[in-house]
Amino acid sequence: MVSRIEHPAGGYKKIFETCEELNEPIPAVVVGLIPKWLNGSLLRMGPGMFEVGSEPFYHLFDGQALMHKFDLKNGHVTYYRKFIKTDSYVRAMTEKRVVITEFGTTAYPDPCKNIFSRFFTYFKGIEVTDNCLVNVYPVGEDYYACTETNYITKVDPDTLETVEKVDLCDYLSINGVTAHPHIESDGTLYNIGNCFGKNLSLAYNIVKIPPKQKDNSDPLAKSEVLVQFPSSERFKPSYVHSFGMSENYFVFVETPVKINLLKFLTAWSIWGTNYMDCFESNETLGTWFHLATKDPAVYIDHKFRTSAFNLFHHINTYEDDGFIVVDVCTWKGHEFVYNYLYLANLRENWGDIKKAAMRAPQPEVRRYVLPTDVHKEAQGKNLISLPYTTATAVMRSDGTIWLEPEVLFSGPRQAFEFPQINYNKFSGKNYSYAYGLGLNHFIPDRICKLNVKTKETWVWQEPDSYPSEPIFVQTPDSVDEDDGVLLSIVVNPGADQRPGYLLILNARDLTEMARAEVEVVIPVTFHGMYKP
């Protein structure tokens, strides 16, 4: 899965440039044959505006939210995109400057105000962004674009119009939730977010939002907190981007990347700072795995520990013979990977991109295995007896259980990230295949498939082409796990015409089935979904 292509021309810089929204869907030129059964919409979220007037956004996760849609119907394809009309966007457009602090960009008071007005502006408290550029997912019959704060934005998946801003704090005890919920086949949604626990210490809540209601009431109104995980540090919660869920368990991985809450509450309010300024790494803490049962929802106080790593994306979590298998995309060490995702770094020339990646944490796809039946008398012994994995869990004298992983894929500065599986059939179950976006020194330049059982790999890659997270869509009534297609948005900035396209790959071997080309460059997207 290692990239065989260099990028000296720097074409990747184009995916970090501002674009305009479209007034109406534009037709795509289809090359190849689209499966007859593939009728639906690929919805994607990402940044589409990287500066406001003369003020730039500084981090990859700062640009204003742009929603993309490729519509597929009877072999024909159209492309459409619109900015989400969040408060962050509307106020920025009105005042022609950055008004609300984003992930790595600080908003300052209006320079046109006098010095006293500007001073008192700092004491209004923290204004949390609603810039929902990360993902989109269904709740009941509605669709919401999201970031990682307490705000989600209802959108119309057909017209891409912004419908309503929703504050999850009106329904749940959370400060924010991830952009990666788990959704069961009936539409029940689970997510995790940090909150204030006992004695004002920080904790993490697993929350549940029910499916569509028979009385057509809002499922959000019936949201509930299921179970709470404790925090290893009272005022410093870990950054959490996703979590694991099997049939009967929740798995939360607490990494050493911490949010300094006191700095967040004081420095921000008084002299202005941003989210990135409030992160710090605990070099001595390592990584903690937390476990809770699902029904009834009960925290299990087993002290699973391992060495330090960053974690953004879980691949899959499943149970097997009394063990919980947790497959994750890790980055070694305690340094925060997001430190390397400032736009200035990503827009560097290729040689400088490679030098920066040499200093950064290194990626690795890992499998950890957690025993559910723990006996303290088994001190010093490996508690894992699954025959197909080399992962270990050893009870120590202090009562902690030390985990060592099985490495499923490792390549220096070559990440397998933004993982996807056949989610509808194999989420929370023993599975074979994962699909991902290959990052070459942080630059997305290939689509990968990994057999997690045999470690066999497949790759799609073309020169000067920059794909997005591949979305798996299952062939109707199929039996095999990998019987389906992968959908990815690809940008080829050097193309003479139609530089952006929807790529359709056969999920079995990553051979190209079709592409739908459009006359516009499409900026980077993070996550999304296929809506049948």
Side-chain angles (χ1 to χ4, degrees):
M1 286 198 293
V2 173
S3 177
R4 295 179 175 85
I5 291 178
E6 299 282 321
H7 303 281
Y12 50 83
K13 299 176 186 180
K14 298 293 289 185
I15 65 175
F16 308 118
E17 291 183 1
T18 293
C19 71
E20 295 182 352
E21 64 181 12
L22 298 174
N23 294 324
E24 59 185 15
I26 59 175
V29 175
V30 176
V31 179
L33 188 63
I34 297 175
K36 293 181 179 180
W37 56 265
L38 191 61
N39 292 287
S41 301
L42 176 66
L43 304 173
R44 301 283 301 167
M45 297 301 306
M49 181 180 296
F50 295 89
E51 64 283 314
V52 182
S54 62
E55 296 188 10
F57 290 109
Y58 292 105
H59 200 273
L60 178 61
F61 302 133
D62 292 347
Q64 294 300 293
L66 184 67
M67 190 170 187
H68 308 255
K69 181 177 70 160
F70 273 97
D71 261 335
L72 302 98
K73 188 174 182 180
N74 299 326
H76 299 284
V77 181
T78 60
Y79 170 67
Y80 192 36
R81 66 189 182 205
K82 288 185 75 70
F83 284 103
I84 305 298
K85 305 307 186 287
T86 60
D87 287 352
S88 178
Y89 175 86
V90 171
R91 290 172 60 187
M93 293 299 97
T94 301
E95 300 189 32
K96 295 181 173 55
R97 65 183 185 90
V98 178
V99 179
I100 298 178
T101 291
E102 300 294 349
F103 198 75
T105 301
T106 304
Y108 293 97
D110 187 348
C112 296
K113 292 181 179 179
N114 64 44
I115 189 169
F116 297 105
S117 296
R118 278 182 278 163
F119 179 77
F120 285 113
T121 297
Y122 278 124
F123 291 89
K124 290 182 178 179
I126 297 171
E127 188 169 16
V128 176
T129 182
D130 62 344
N131 183 24
C132 51
L133 75 164
V134 182
N135 204 356
V136 57
Y137 57 79
V139 177
E141 291 190 321
D142 298 319
Y143 289 80
Y144 289 88
C146 65
T147 178
E148 295 179 319
T149 68
N150 52 298
Y151 294 117
I152 58 177
T153 302
K154 185 189 292 188
V155 293
D156 186 321
D158 298 320
T159 66
L160 305 191
E161 292 294 331
T162 304
V163 179
E164 180 185 12
K165 175 181 176 178
V166 174
D167 185 353
L168 290 173
C169 291
D170 292 340
Y171 305 97
L172 293 161
S173 175
I174 48 92
N175 300 325
V177 293
T178 79
H180 292 286
H182 281 285
I183 304 175
E184 294 184 318
S185 57
D186 69 349
T188 302
L189 182 147
Y190 301 88
N191 209 339
I192 189 170
N194 64 59
C195 64
F196 289 102
K198 295 180 180 179
N199 302 318
L200 290 181
S201 61
L202 266 291
Y204 312 88
N205 279 342
I206 293 285
V207 300
K208 175 182 178 181
I209 302 175
K212 177 187 175 183
Q213 301 296 290
K214 293 180 180 179
D215 60 1
N216 292 321
S217 61
D218 186 356
L220 288 172
K222 294 181 172 62
S223 303
E224 59 179 322
V225 173
L226 290 185
V227 66
Q228 188 169 97
F229 294 112
S231 176
S232 60
E233 293 189 84
R234 183 173 181 182
F235 295 116
K236 294 180 181 180
S238 289
Y239 175 68
V240 52
H241 189 82
S242 65
F243 68 106
M245 188 178 82
S246 66
E247 184 177 354
N248 297 293
Y249 293 91
F250 299 111
V251 176
F252 164 52
V253 180
E254 189 179 13
T255 73
V257 177
K258 299 289 184 176
I259 304 169
N260 187 324
L261 186 65
L262 295 179
K263 186 174 183 180
F264 184 85
L265 294 174
T266 57
W268 193 322
S269 301
I270 297 173
W271 57 76
T273 188
N274 57 60
Y275 297 84
M276 280 295 294
D277 294 329
C278 300
F279 286 104
E280 58 186 49
S281 294
N282 187 321
E283 300 179 15
T284 62
L285 186 65
T287 299
W288 297 20
F289 280 69
H290 296 276
L291 191 61
T293 54
K294 196 172 171 186
D295 187 17
V298 178
Y299 177 65
I300 301 173
D301 193 17
H302 292 334
K303 295 178 173 58
F304 296 109
R305 306 288 187 265
T306 190
S307 56
F309 61 78
N310 283 223
L311 170 62
F312 308 110
H313 299 118
H314 284 250
I315 302 174
N316 200 12
T317 302
Y318 67 89
E319 303 157 37
D320 189 355
D321 197 24
F323 300 95
I324 302 171
V325 179
V326 184
D327 292 349
V328 286
C329 299
T330 71
W331 298 76
K332 303 176 188 177
H334 57 78
E335 185 185 6
F336 197 22
V337 172
Y338 286 6
N339 292 338
Y340 295 87
L341 300 183
Y342 282 93
L343 290 167
N345 299 337
L346 297 173
R347 291 165 173 161
E348 289 277 13
N349 292 327
W350 181 238
D352 293 322
I353 288 269
K354 294 175 71 173
K355 289 178 183 177
M358 293 285 288
R359 302 189 298 269
Q362 295 304 300
E364 197 164 74
V365 180
R366 294 177 175 177
R367 166 168 288 178
Y368 288 90
V369 181
L370 282 58
T372 58
D373 189 15
V374 174
H375 300 284
K376 292 190 176 181
E377 59 269 19
Q379 183 177 318
K381 297 179 181 178
N382 178 22
L383 305 178
I384 308 302
S385 58
L386 291 178
Y388 56 79
T389 182
T390 58
T392 61
V394 176
M395 174 70 72
R396 292 183 162 181
S397 59
D398 61 359
T400 60
I401 303 159
W402 186 261
L403 306 176
E404 287 292 343
E406 175 185 0
V407 176
L408 300 181
F409 170 75
S410 184
R413 297 164 296 283
Q414 303 290 321
F416 177 94
E417 262 290 356
F418 297 83
Q420 295 285 313
I421 61 171
N422 182 341
Y423 190 90
N424 290 340
K425 277 196 170 183
F426 287 89
S427 176
K429 299 177 182 178
N430 195 333
Y431 74 117
S432 296
Y433 302 110
Y435 310 92
L437 181 62
L439 303 182
N440 182 2
H441 300 78
F442 293 115
I443 300 302
D445 71 353
R446 63 200 183 280
I447 295 171
C448 308
K449 177 181 179 179
L450 170 65
N451 185 323
V452 298
K453 288 182 166 62
T454 67
K455 301 178 185 175
E456 183 181 4
T457 62
W458 297 258
V459 174
W460 176 92
Q461 186 174 39
E462 289 188 355
D464 197 29
S465 296
Y466 306 99
S468 70
E469 166 194 65
I471 300 295
F472 179 88
V473 184
Q474 180 182 323
T475 302
D477 303 320
S478 61
V479 175
D480 294 341
E481 179 182 342
D482 59 351
D483 189 350
V485 300
L486 299 180
L487 304 180
S488 176
I489 296 177
V490 184
V491 177
N492 180 356
D496 293 334
Q497 55 183 346
R498 300 191 295 275
Y501 58 94
L502 171 65
L503 177 67
I504 304 174
L505 299 179
N506 186 327
R508 290 187 186 276
D509 57 9
L510 302 198
T511 55
E512 181 174 333
M513 303 177 73
R515 61 178 65 184
E517 303 172 339
V518 291
E519 291 282 2
V520 292
V521 172
I522 302 171
V524 62
T525 62
F526 299 137
H527 301 290
M529 60 171 289
Y530 176 75
K531 176 180 175 291

